[in-house]
Amino acid sequence: MIGAGVIGAAVGYELARRGWRTLNVDALPAAGFGSTSNSCAIVRFTYSTYDGVAMAWEGLHYWTDWPAYLDAEDERGLATLVQCGTLLLKNPGGHHSRVVPLFDEVGIPYEDWDEATLRARMPAFDPGVFGPPRPVDDAAFWDGPTGPLPGAIWTADSGYVSDPQLASHNLQRAAEAKGGRFLFSTRVTGIDRSGDRVTGVTLDDGATVSAPVVVNVAGPHSAVINDLAGLAGTMRIGTRPLRHEVHHVTAPPALDYEHTGVHVSDGDTGVYFRPETGNSILVGSEDPECDARDWVDDPDHFDRSITAAQWEAQVLRLARRIPSLGVPNQRRGVVDLYDVADDWIPIYDRTDLDGYYVAIGTSGNQFKNAGVAGHCMAELITAVEAGHDHDADPLTVTGRYTGVALHLGSFSRNREINPDSSFSVNG
Ligand SMILES: Cc1cc2nc3c(=O)[nH]c(=O)nc-3n(C[C@H](O)[C@H](O)[C@H](O)COP(=O)(O)OP(=O)(O)OC[C@H]3O[C@@H](n4cnc5c(N)ncnc54)[C@H](O)[C@@H]3O)c2cc1C
């Protein structure tokens, strides 16, 4: 595995538990120190395709079963799932209209709140329609609501994982307990091949590791690694790093948002937010069309400082929904990269180089799916290495917990751009 983020560590664990001899190589000093470390780690099911929803629902159960799933000790303790629930605010023509039929199809429990229920259950929220989202310097930004939101969709099972870096470390320990190995502070500088078959990797100290199977789990470096493998231009779906800011704001003390707050997806203002320790609210962008996208050419060089413009956009949008929010002068938060696929749906697949696989393009929304993605990749690799033609006959994997059918053809490198995608972090 090239990478030991949450996805790489999960693929390593799933292969190791099937008896493979695995090695995760990571340029950074510990598991989950890359983009995973700054993940909001939200576990929600609100995707816009059947397979997106099915993966997320199955993925939840890895977190609720985490200690048993890992079957290993971690001296640092285990990450936990905080099931604060998710409120998907309905806005006219909004994401809920796509999501609700998919919840019904997959069998996800939810409550459909009308306008009055939303007001009663969330008294601190302004229930008005402010959208569509606008830049804060738009003359209409502070206009009053044009009407009431029609309600919301509530899922009680969702929430967030307490510590995404620790979760990756947990997976490392679980893989190691099954014989898996990890090599840190070491960069892969070459992909070795013989004809159409991968034979291993070259490391930055000049050493080589021979391996019949190599998996690109390099997060925002996925395209760099595919270039090293000589695969540029061989996949219909590409990946590209996108810079994202997530901000931390202190919640009004009376709200006690840390303990009583919920995760909210607010397509009307263009932000999502969730509770965070220290009575904070963590707020990120749902990539509204009015905001320019901050694509990054080189994932090793990007601006890690919080910008005044993005801070104002996100915090003031949040303040529209929670009017009692004080807007602090001091900016707090994190900046990191999504590895965005052309249609914001991940690529879990083989490639044209035999033995070389990819779990990439996680598009800001696959932390929650680490366990199930690891399972799917291990099933895929095992089947293809045994001779299965996954391109001609895409594999369907059965969810370990829910029994749901996971159609891996939907995550193919050569799929058509999925027109049902939200083309945003909502997948
Ligand atoms: C700000 C932010 C918020 C997010 N919020 C959520 C959320 O709420 N819910 C959700 O489900 N998802 C969320 N995500 C997405 C989620 O965090 C990612 O999908 C997931 O963490 C990706 O894991 P990864 O292992 O693929 O990548 P990474 O964690 O980036 O790991 C890739 C690893 O590869 C290593 N690497 C790269 N190149 C090389 C090389 N040449 N040699 C050796 N090692 C190499 C890197 O050092 C890195 O450690 C968010 C992402 C961000 C950035």
Side-chain angles (χ1 to χ4, degrees), residues 243-245 294 296 301-307 335-337:
R243 186 180 169 284
H244 247 261
E245 299 188 19
D294 197 356
V296 167
H301 297 100
F302 63 97
D303 182 2
R304 285 194 177 264
S305 53
I306 295 166
T307 59
V335 182
D336 220 315
L337 300 177

CSV table of all heavy atoms in Angstrom, one decimal, residues 243-245 294 296 301-307 335-337:
chain,number,residue,atom,x,y,z
A,243,ARG,N,-8.3,22.3,-2.3
A,243,ARG,CA,-8.1,22.9,-0.9
A,243,ARG,C,-9.4,23.2,-0.2
A,243,ARG,O,-10.3,23.7,-0.8
A,243,ARG,CB,-7.3,24.1,-1.1
A,243,ARG,CG,-6.8,24.8,0.1
A,243,ARG,CD,-6.0,26.0,-0.2
A,243,ARG,NE,-5.7,26.8,1.0
A,243,ARG,CZ,-6.6,27.6,1.6
A,243,ARG,NH1,-7.9,27.7,1.1
A,243,ARG,NH2,-6.3,28.3,2.6
A,244,HIS,N,-9.5,22.8,1.0
A,244,HIS,CA,-10.7,23.0,1.8
A,244,HIS,C,-10.4,23.6,3.2
A,244,HIS,O,-9.4,23.1,3.8
A,244,HIS,CB,-11.5,21.7,1.9
A,244,HIS,CG,-12.8,21.8,1.2
A,244,HIS,ND1,-14.0,22.1,1.8
A,244,HIS,CD2,-13.0,21.6,-0.1
A,244,HIS,CE1,-14.9,22.1,0.9
A,244,HIS,NE2,-14.4,21.8,-0.3
A,245,GLU,N,-11.2,24.5,3.7
A,245,GLU,CA,-11.0,25.0,5.0
A,245,GLU,C,-12.2,24.6,5.9
A,245,GLU,O,-13.4,24.6,5.4
A,245,GLU,CB,-11.0,26.5,5.0
A,245,GLU,CG,-9.9,27.1,4.2
A,245,GLU,CD,-9.8,28.6,4.3
A,245,GLU,OE1,-10.3,29.2,5.3
A,245,GLU,OE2,-9.1,29.2,3.4
A,294,ASP,N,-10.9,25.9,-5.1
A,294,ASP,CA,-9.5,26.2,-4.9
A,294,ASP,C,-8.7,25.0,-5.3
A,294,ASP,O,-8.1,24.3,-4.4
A,294,ASP,CB,-9.3,26.6,-3.4
A,294,ASP,CG,-8.0,27.4,-3.2
A,294,ASP,OD1,-7.3,27.5,-4.1
A,294,ASP,OD2,-7.8,27.8,-2.0
A,296,VAL,N,-5.6,22.7,-6.5
A,296,VAL,CA,-4.2,22.8,-6.1
A,296,VAL,C,-3.4,21.9,-7.1
A,296,VAL,O,-3.8,20.8,-7.4
A,296,VAL,CB,-4.0,22.2,-4.7
A,296,VAL,CG1,-2.5,22.0,-4.4
A,296,VAL,CG2,-4.6,23.2,-3.7
A,301,HIS,N,2.6,21.5,-1.9
A,301,HIS,CA,2.7,22.9,-1.7
A,301,HIS,C,1.3,23.6,-1.8
A,301,HIS,O,0.8,23.8,-2.9
A,301,HIS,CB,3.7,23.5,-2.7
A,301,HIS,CG,5.1,23.0,-2.5
A,301,HIS,ND1,5.6,22.0,-3.3
A,301,HIS,CD2,6.0,23.3,-1.6
A,301,HIS,CE1,6.8,21.7,-2.9
A,301,HIS,NE2,7.1,22.5,-1.9
A,302,PHE,N,0.7,23.9,-0.7
A,302,PHE,CA,-0.5,24.7,-0.7
A,302,PHE,C,-0.6,25.5,0.5
A,302,PHE,O,0.1,25.2,1.5
A,302,PHE,CB,-1.7,23.8,-0.9
A,302,PHE,CG,-2.0,22.8,0.2
A,302,PHE,CD1,-2.9,23.1,1.2
A,302,PHE,CD2,-1.3,21.6,0.3
A,302,PHE,CE1,-3.1,22.2,2.3
A,302,PHE,CE2,-1.5,20.7,1.4
A,302,PHE,CZ,-2.4,21.0,2.3
A,303,ASP,N,-1.4,26.5,0.5
A,303,ASP,CA,-1.5,27.5,1.6
A,303,ASP,C,-2.3,26.9,2.8
A,303,ASP,O,-3.5,26.6,2.6
A,303,ASP,CB,-2.2,28.8,1.1
A,303,ASP,CG,-2.3,29.8,2.2
A,303,ASP,OD1,-1.8,29.6,3.3
A,303,ASP,OD2,-2.9,30.9,1.9
A,304,ARG,N,-1.7,26.6,3.9
A,304,ARG,CA,-2.4,26.0,5.0
A,304,ARG,C,-2.9,27.1,6.0
A,304,ARG,O,-3.4,26.7,7.1
A,304,ARG,CB,-1.4,25.1,5.8
A,304,ARG,CG,-1.1,23.8,5.1
A,304,ARG,CD,-0.5,22.8,6.0
A,304,ARG,NE,-0.3,21.5,5.3
A,304,ARG,CZ,-1.1,20.5,5.4
A,304,ARG,NH1,-2.2,20.5,6.2
A,304,ARG,NH2,-0.8,19.3,4.8
A,305,SER,N,-2.9,28.3,5.6
A,305,SER,CA,-3.5,29.3,6.5
A,305,SER,C,-5.0,29.6,6.2
A,305,SER,O,-5.4,29.5,5.0
A,305,SER,CB,-2.7,30.6,6.5
A,305,SER,OG,-2.6,31.1,5.1
A,306,ILE,N,-5.7,29.9,7.2
A,306,ILE,CA,-7.2,30.2,7.0
A,306,ILE,C,-7.3,31.5,6.4
A,306,ILE,O,-6.7,32.5,6.9
A,306,ILE,CB,-7.9,30.1,8.4
A,306,ILE,CG1,-7.8,28.7,8.9
A,306,ILE,CG2,-9.3,30.6,8.3
A,306,ILE,CD1,-8.2,28.6,10.4
A,307,THR,N,-8.1,31.6,5.3
A,307,THR,CA,-8.2,32.9,4.6
A,307,THR,C,-9.4,33.7,5.2
A,307,THR,O,-10.4,33.1,5.7
A,307,THR,CB,-8.5,32.7,3.1
A,307,THR,OG1,-9.7,31.9,3.0
A,307,THR,CG2,-7.3,32.0,2.5
A,335,VAL,N,-6.9,23.5,7.5
A,335,VAL,CA,-6.9,23.6,6.0
A,335,VAL,C,-6.3,22.3,5.5
A,335,VAL,O,-5.2,21.9,5.9
A,335,VAL,CB,-6.1,24.8,5.5
A,335,VAL,CG1,-6.2,24.8,4.0
A,335,VAL,CG2,-6.6,26.1,6.1
A,336,ASP,N,-6.9,21.6,4.6
A,336,ASP,CA,-6.3,20.4,4.0
A,336,ASP,C,-6.9,20.1,2.6
A,336,ASP,O,-7.7,21.0,2.1
A,336,ASP,CB,-6.5,19.2,4.9
A,336,ASP,CG,-5.2,18.3,4.9
A,336,ASP,OD1,-4.7,18.1,3.8
A,336,ASP,OD2,-4.8,17.9,6.0
A,337,LEU,N,-6.5,19.0,2.0
A,337,LEU,CA,-6.9,18.7,0.6
A,337,LEU,C,-7.9,17.6,0.6
A,337,LEU,O,-7.7,16.6,1.2
A,337,LEU,CB,-5.7,18.4,-0.2
A,337,LEU,CG,-4.5,19.4,-0.3
A,337,LEU,CD1,-3.4,18.8,-1.1
A,337,LEU,CD2,-5.1,20.7,-0.9
